Structures are given as C-alpha cells and as structure tokens.
Amino acid sequence: MALTRADWFNWLDAMAPVVPLPIAPEYREGVAAQLELNKRLIAPLLEFEVPAGAPEDTGSGS
Amino acid sequence: MPVAGSAAIVRAVQAGETTAVEVVDVALARIDEREGAVRAFTNLLADRARTRAARIDDRIRSGGDPGPLAGVPFAVKDLFDIEGVVTLAGSRVLATSPPATRSAEAVRRLEAAGAVLLGALNMEEFAYGFLTDNAHHGRTYNPLDGARTAGGSSGGSGAAVAAGMVPLTLGSDTNGSIRIPASFCGVVGMKPTFGRVSTAGMVPLAPSQDHVGWIGRTVEDVALVWEVLSGAPRPRQGRRPARVAVADDYFAQVLTEEARATVDRAARALDVRDIVRVPAPAAARGAAYAVTSSEASSLRMDDLRTRANEFDPATRDRFLAGALLPADWYIRAKRFVAWWRGAFDRLFERADVLLLPAAPFAAPLFGQEWIEIDGVEHPVRPTIGRFTQPISPLGLPIVCVPAALPGRLPIGVQLVGRPDSEWLVLETAGRLAAALARESVSPEHGIS
C-alpha cells in the first residue's frame, strides 16, 4: 500500500509523544519528508527475506 | 606553494634538509593563501603547531628519533578531541562543552610519531551527511571548483589535502565520509578494518559503523599513516599481486558516464578480468541506513528533546526522523548484516580485492538538488552514498583512489579487501595509482 504524506504526519504525531520526543510545528514538514525518505531507502531491507539458518548478529565486528 | 607529501617531508626533515618549523610555516602560508576560498578549517592552532614542531627539531638536533612522521603537518576533522580545545563536531550543541582533557587516541598516536597538528576541520554536523554545507560553520568549497561541494562528512579533511594546505588529515567514515570527500576532491582516502584503529576521543555518529579514516595526497602517504596507527609492519615486497574483480549489476548502474569511465579506466589499469555480483546490495544499503539512523538519533536523544532548535536544520530532520523508526527495522538490519557478511565473504573466494565506484558522479554544485543519469532524474543528496553505504556495515578495509580521466572533475574508485588485508589493498592501490600516473601526471596531485 502506497503511503501518503498524510500517513507520515500521522506516524509522527502518534509516535513522538510516546517516545517522548517533542517536535515543534515548524519541523513537522521536514521530519515527515525525512521519514518518507527513510522508508524508501530502507524498503529493500524490509522486503528481503534473510535465509533460514543464517547466523544471528553477535553485536561485534560490524 | 602547496605542502609536499608526507613521505617527502619525513625524508627531508630526517635528513636535515629542512626543519619541522619550516614545514609548518609553509603549511600556514598555504592555509593563509587558500583558506578564504576553501574554508576547510574551523580552528587553526598555529602557535601550538610551531611549539610542537620546535620540539621535533630539538629532538633531531640532539640525535633523538623524531618518529616515522617527523614534521608532517596534519589536521583533524572537528570530531576528534584535541587537548585543551572544545570538540564541536560541526554543531552548536557541543559549543558549551568543556575543552577536552586528552587528545583522541588517533591524534595522540600521530603526534607521538612526530606529526604536527595544525587544527580542526569543517564537517557535516555530527558527521551526518555528504555535503559539508554546515549551517553553523559554513560551507567547505571544493578546491578544484569553488562552486562545488568538497563532499562530506569529512569535507574539510578532503579539501585541506586537495588544496595543498596539509598533506594528511584525519576524518571518520560511517557510510562513506572519508571515501566521498576523497572522491570529490581527487585525493586518496583510507579506512581500515572496523575496530583496528581506536575511536576513543572521537564523537560518535553510529558506533557500530564508525571508523577512523584518513586522507592523503598519495597512496604512500596513507600507507604511512596505517603503519603508524596500526603498528603493523609492512610486508616484504614481491608477494603475488592481488586478484582484483570488478562488481557489476547494482554497482554498474545509476552512475554518470564519467563515473563509469573512471571504473573502466581503473579496471584496465589493474588488468581486471573477473566480474562479481554483490548479493542484495539495495537491502545492504537499507541496513546501513537503518543502523545509522537509529544509533545516531539514540545518541542525541536528550539534546533532541531539549534543544532541537540548535541543530543544523539539515541534520535536525534526520535525527528527529531517526528517533521514530521502529525497533524492528534496526533488528532486521542487524540480522541482515550477520547473514550478508557470510554472503559477501564468498566473493573473496574469487578475488582478493573488489573494485567498486566510490561515487555515482563527480562533486555536485552547491544547491544542486537533481542530477540526470541515463535520462532519469535522481535526487543528489540521497544518491551520493549509493556505492559507499551498502558495504559500510561490513567494516572492511577500503582505499579510495582518484581515477577520473585527465582534465575531468575527480571521481574515485573503491578498492575493498577482506578483513585485515590492509596491506594487500594498499599495494593494489599503489599499483593502480602508478599505472594511472604513467598515463597522465597532474602537477598538482601527482595523479589525474
């Protein structure tokens, strides 16, 4: 499902108070645009299925 | 007059042909001449440098060992602690912090080897970006074309070397922050295997991908730094040359004709005959992005809550957005990297060193938002790291060598080795630089 800018504003408005992370009104547009960009760049990762039996991250040497 | 290369300075100072103080004065004169147009420095420590240089000269006069970097002037990205100086990391947020009580480990090691610190260099705020268009400290201009960026986030580090102000700079590389400025400025950049050079005293961006890196005029110069920082002895000459393979598919797409020609030129120079396909590169880039966003924002959370208005507007949006990413994305990224490490290792069964483009295009103009590649418009800022980001989470040793066609804006290539193969990568980089230099010699940089 294609997300719209309004969806990113909804995410921002829902998540920020929970974190909590106050986001001033004048920053909302830029942050929503950045969330959209983040999702676009991270999407190939989210669509990729790591093969079963792959090693787990050991938290070192990355 | 540009400052000579590190190796040449060491030879001259150790032989008594010049003094460390004289070398510092040449560097300061060059900085005075070019800094107004380049804006590489955020803090020039001229008196400190002259004092330290005089100590090197005293040591030589008294018959002592001045060290393997005797008299080499260097400068560091403004995220390395310098004793007695406030470390800004390109930000106003840290401006009220107390001065560092101890220099960063990498700085201390270079100084102990006889190098002379001249000052701190401009950067993207908290090393988060590729342009060095800093709202607080201004732009760093590309010395080869002042309308263009020097790259980032270690933009001051690339520009200071390219402008001939210092022959050596330290920077950091989390997603390409050494490799991009090296590529855009036509100088040599190196990052070692993750963890091999201590990041102690360096302001972090994303600790699981942060590397200390450095930039020099020549491959020999960056090799000298690796020797000092690692303590690893140079291997004897005469080893079998590395088997080099070039990557196709993702790494041969979305790059300008100039960047493609740069890779082709490097492949010819190294007589590359093998082609490999890197598995899942777009997912790898996504993983690097998720890890960086999450870790960077987590580190700055307190400041984001209380003083977001003090951040550079360009990085503020990235930090705030990164703080809202689902934890699942970060965990998926870590799981992916654990798998990808093994998949990538298998490429090294066929080759010792991989040849990849460093950047999809030459340094863009300041303010340029889009670039046309193969008839398609791409946003400049998010596209710059296309070839450096995917491999960043693996922490592999990489040397970036300028390889553009003569007369063109510089573009570099990445030479990527398996973990702990720094000397093999450096030897390959030296072979490449020598082959390219035979084709064409630039009086300014030695390599076109």
Side-chain angles (χ1 to χ4, degrees):
Chain A
M1 184 183 71
L3 298 176
T4 66
R5 182 59 61 88
D7 293 317
W8 298 109
F9 279 122
N10 289 339
W11 183 355
L12 187 162
D13 291 335
M15 290 290 292
V18 177
V19 171
L21 181 65
I23 295 178
E26 62 269 30
Y27 303 154
R28 290 178 77 250
E29 184 71 39
V31 175
Q34 186 64 44
L35 284 169
E36 199 170 355
L37 175 63
N38 287 357
K39 179 64 191 302
R40 185 164 63 77
L41 288 170
I42 295 170
L45 167 72
L46 304 179
E47 292 159 7
F48 186 86
E49 285 293 327
V50 173
E56 289 295 316
D57 172 50
T58 58
S60 63
S62 57
Chain B
M1 182 175 69
V3 174
S6 300
I9 290 171
V10 171
R11 281 192 293 271
V13 169
Q14 289 182 336
E17 295 165 5
T18 187
T19 66
V21 170
E22 286 171 344
V23 174
V24 164
D25 284 341
V26 169
L28 291 172
R30 180 65 170 180
I31 292 166
D32 190 48
E33 180 187 336
R34 296 297 311 273
E35 176 64 7
V38 176
R39 307 287 297 271
F41 279 81
T42 52
N43 193 355
L44 190 59
L45 303 169
D47 291 341
R48 182 186 194 276
R50 286 196 178 97
T51 302
R52 301 282 176 126
R55 283 186 209 158
I56 301 290
D57 292 333
D58 287 345
R59 200 173 306 156
I60 292 172
R61 274 191 289 272
S62 63
D65 179 4
L69 288 174
V72 174
F74 76 107
V76 300
K77 186 176 185 175
D78 196 0
L79 49 57
F80 288 97
D81 285 347
I82 300 170
E83 185 180 348
V85 175
V86 176
T87 312
L88 297 172
S91 180
R92 274 172 55 201
V93 172
L94 301 184
T96 53
S97 304
T101 55
R102 177 184 170 93
S103 293
E105 180 65 21
V107 176
R108 288 164 56 84
R109 286 196 178 207
L110 293 184
E111 290 194 308
V116 181
L117 179 65
L118 257 62
L121 297 161
N122 200 17
M123 56 182 287
E124 287 269 17
E125 186 177 56
F126 293 117
Y128 208 170
F130 288 127
L131 297 176
T132 313
D133 193 355
N134 187 302
H136 314 306
H137 304 288
R139 292 174 166 170
T140 291
Y141 298 91
N142 193 311
L144 305 178
D145 181 345
R148 298 176 187 274
T149 171
S153 63
S154 311
S157 303
V161 173
M165 297 171 168
V166 285
L168 164 65
T169 55
L170 284 184
S172 62
D173 191 311
T174 304
N175 281 296
S177 286
I178 284 286
R179 293 165 279 163
I180 293 298
S183 179
F184 286 178
C185 292
V187 289
V188 182
M190 176 174 177
K191 78 171 192 71
T193 305
F194 180 83
R196 295 302 180 268
V197 173
S198 171
T199 56
M202 187 179 100
V203 176
L205 173 64
S208 67
Q209 289 183 199
D210 288 344
H211 298 68
V212 173
W214 48 95
I215 290 174
R217 287 168 61 107
T218 65
V219 174
E220 174 57 25
D221 284 358
V222 300
L224 201 51
V225 177
W226 170 240
E227 196 169 12
V228 166
L229 290 180
S230 68
R234 272 176 202 247
R236 59 182 173 78
Q237 297 291 311
R239 292 195 301 174
R240 174 182 61 80
R243 297 168 300 158
V244 184
V246 67
D248 70 353
D249 193 46
Y250 176 97
F251 287 95
Q253 297 166 0
V254 191
L255 72 172
T256 60
E257 282 305 315
E258 288 82 3
R260 191 172 286 118
T262 299
V263 177
D264 290 345
R265 185 172 183 238
R268 280 196 305 276
L270 288 169
D271 195 24
V272 173
R273 296 166 189 274
D274 200 6
I275 298 172
V276 295
R277 181 157 297 181
V278 175
R285 189 179 184 206
Y289 203 88
V291 168
T292 303
S293 299
S294 301
E295 292 188 5
S297 297
S298 178
L299 281 172
R300 299 287 152 221
M301 193 64 91
D302 288 345
D303 290 326
L304 290 169
R305 286 186 176 121
T306 58
R307 50 202 297 200
N309 61 314
E310 294 180 35
F311 281 68
D312 184 324
T315 56
R316 179 174 52 226
D317 292 344
R318 285 171 228 160
F319 279 113
L320 290 171
L324 303 179
L325 294 190
D328 176 63
W329 294 7
Y330 181 82
I331 292 164
R332 277 174 181 252
K334 287 294 189 180
R335 286 191 63 226
F336 173 87
V337 171
W339 167 78
W340 204 52
R341 189 181 307 285
F344 203 94
D345 273 351
R346 284 193 281 282
L347 300 178
F348 289 120
E349 293 170 2
R350 288 174 51 182
D352 303 307
V353 172
L354 304 183
L355 170 64
L356 311 177
F361 36 77
L365 297 163
F366 282 111
Q368 182 179 350
E369 294 187 4
W370 296 88
I371 187 165
E372 185 184 322
I373 301 173
D374 295 334
V376 178
E377 292 286 332
H378 294 271
V380 165
R381 189 175 65 81
T383 307
I384 292 175
R386 173 178 171 83
F387 300 128
T388 54
Q389 284 174 314
I391 52 176
S392 293
L394 297 177
L396 301 171
I398 303 174
V399 176
C400 180
V401 179
L405 293 165
R408 306 289 180 89
L409 284 169
I411 309 182
V413 293
Q414 301 179 85
L415 296 170
V416 185
R418 56 173 70 84
D420 297 315
S421 69
E422 279 81 359
W423 284 117
L424 194 59
V425 178
L426 283 163
E427 284 171 11
T428 309
R431 193 154 54 93
L432 171 60
L436 297 177
R438 280 194 294 274
E439 289 181 25
S440 55
V441 175
S442 153
E444 178 76 6
H445 302 295
I447 303 167
S448 288

